[in-house]
Amino acid sequence: MKDVLVKVKTVQTDDHGESDTIELTAEGKFAEKNGSYLIKYSDAFISGANDPIFTTVKVSSDGGVSVTRSGSYQSRFVIEKQKRCNCLYQTPYGTMSMGFYGEKI
């Protein structure tokens, strides 16, 4: 795996159009495996976690993206173009149901 600098920008918008932006920069690892790309990094910004939380992003050769979190708070979701995905997302404040729609990947 190759050392990389990972930059993640998340924008959350509510039903009233108000948004909140979270940006993260972390050291991570990158690899290509069987036509897919893997990025692994630690989510150091999550407060309330007793153990590190690691995120793995896999971009498959078919264009799908899966995101897996492991550690104190675990979740996994898959984003595919023109499809809806539902998952349970664990946070320090509890588990919530989330839905994703892959408009563009």
Side-chain angles (χ1 to χ4, degrees), residues 27-85:
E27 294 178 359
K29 302 285 186 181
F30 172 83
E32 182 179 0
K33 184 177 180 181
N34 299 327
S36 297
Y37 300 101
L38 297 171
I39 302 168
K40 296 182 179 187
Y41 62 95
S42 175
D43 284 338
F45 71 91
I46 296 178
S47 62
N50 295 327
D51 299 316
I53 297 172
F54 298 97
T55 300
T56 301
V57 179
K58 179 180 180 183
V59 181
S60 300
S61 57
D62 64 3
V65 176
S66 66
V67 179
T68 305
R69 292 174 61 207
S70 60
S72 295
Y73 305 104
Q74 300 177 9
S75 63
R76 182 173 190 280
F77 54 90
V78 177
I79 304 170
E80 297 176 282
K81 188 174 181 180
Q82 304 299 317
K83 291 187 181 179
R84 181 156 181 84
C85 167

Side-chain angles (χ1 to χ4, degrees), residues 9 13 21 25 29 33 63-64 75 77 81 85-86 88 93:
K9 180 177 180 179
T13 306
T21 302
T25 301
K29 302 285 186 181
K33 184 177 180 181
S75 63
F77 54 90
K81 188 174 181 180
C85 167
N86 295 305
L88 294 176
Y93 309 103

